[in-house]
Amino acid sequence: MAWLSTEDRGPVRWMTIDRPDRKNAIPFDGWGELRSAFEDFEGSEQRILVVTGAGGEFCAGADLDPSRLDVLQSITDRHQRMKEIGSAALTLHRLTKPTIAAVDGVAVGAGMNLALGCDLVIATDRARFSEIFVKRGLTVDFGGSWLLPRIVGLQRAKELALSGRIIGAEEALSIGLVLEVVPVEGLEARVAELTESLLAGAPIGQMFVKQTLNASFESSMADALGWEGQAQAVALGTEDMAEGVNSFLEKRPPVWRGR
């Protein structure tokens, strides 16, 4: 995939959208490839995925090239295309391993929701975000209608999505849209530090953490306790749990094996 490259840096996979001439917009036929890249990461030995963009931009969302839109003449064609977009978003959401969005420049439309679909978002001080859909005569997609209110609250989500306005990095930080804002030149280094902190956690434990937290808005307290009990019962029987205890007693860093 010429427009999407991956680089494994030890246990961390960096995925880069590389279409700087189009502000890293996802190609018209690229959604299946994006989903496949997520699936490939899930099946790999790498423990953390970092999603970023080339050329000082993150992602301008879907490439709305007018020359390609003529193939979407029927409602059936358009619905099929949205199923492909939704499948990519759901695959990202269901990844069992931690994901980080390293955002520089624009993250708008599906590009914004690609960032929000990651577990953590680190942005540069020149990053810009927008649920720009209404300014293109469209409605929110790539999971934004589910993600945005859970991150910033319903009223703020409505304001951002109904207006489509662009917000800068500092406002994104103030409303909880991003975890941290860093200088442009410090983005990769800060993300590398964050990956190191995540690698200190046990893989199976992190998988259960993601699953339980992602389900928390749809669960009652009783549901959550039931799921915690099932997950912990599994975790208590893993080699990693024994390693966690032994490394603590022996005052050394743990060596996780993911089993």
Side-chain angles (χ1 to χ4, degrees), residues 190-211:
R190 178 63 190 111
V191 171
E193 290 177 356
L194 185 56
T195 61
E196 285 301 311
S197 71
L198 295 178
L199 289 170
I204 294 174
Q206 289 176 336
M207 174 184 70
F208 287 137
V209 165
K210 284 193 60 168
Q211 291 174 345

Side-chain angles (χ1 to χ4, degrees), residues 40-89:
D40 186 68
F41 164 70
E42 179 69 12
S44 73
E45 295 182 355
Q46 274 58 51
R47 288 192 51 201
I48 299 171
L49 178 67
V50 178
V51 181
T52 193
E57 308 288 359
F58 182 72
C59 178
D63 192 341
L64 299 177
D65 183 349
S67 67
R68 302 298 308 278
L69 295 179
D70 59 357
V71 304
L72 302 179
Q73 292 297 313
S74 73
I75 188 68
T76 301
D77 293 336
R78 297 192 291 271
H79 189 252
Q80 180 59 38
R81 178 50 49 95
M82 292 314 304
K83 286 175 66 176
E84 294 171 4
I85 293 173
S87 179

Side-chain angles (χ1 to χ4, degrees), residues 1-19:
M1 290 174 281
W3 66 274
L4 187 64
S5 63
T6 59
E7 177 189 1
D8 291 338
R9 305 180 188 179
V12 181
R13 175 166 295 179
W14 285 68
M15 178 187 298
T16 303
I17 305 169
D18 192 2
R19 298 185 78 211

Side-chain angles (χ1 to χ4, degrees), residues 67-147:
S67 67
R68 302 298 308 278
L69 295 179
D70 59 357
V71 304
L72 302 179
Q73 292 297 313
S74 73
I75 188 68
T76 301
D77 293 336
R78 297 192 291 271
H79 189 252
Q80 180 59 38
R81 178 50 49 95
M82 292 314 304
K83 286 175 66 176
E84 294 171 4
I85 293 173
S87 179
L90 193 58
T91 302
L92 171 62
H93 176 70
R94 287 176 172 171
L95 292 178
T96 62
K97 298 180 280 191
T99 55
I100 301 171
V103 179
D104 188 22
V106 297
V108 301
M112 175 172 171
N113 296 328
L114 171 61
L116 299 186
C118 295
D119 298 312
L120 305 171
V121 183
I122 305 296
T124 70
D125 49 17
R126 67 182 184 187
R128 305 180 304 284
F129 300 85
S130 173
E131 295 284 0
I132 204 166
F133 299 94
V134 293
K135 292 189 174 180
R136 302 291 183 265
L138 298 169
T139 186
V140 176
D141 66 21
F142 207 83
S145 63
W146 190 90
L147 293 162

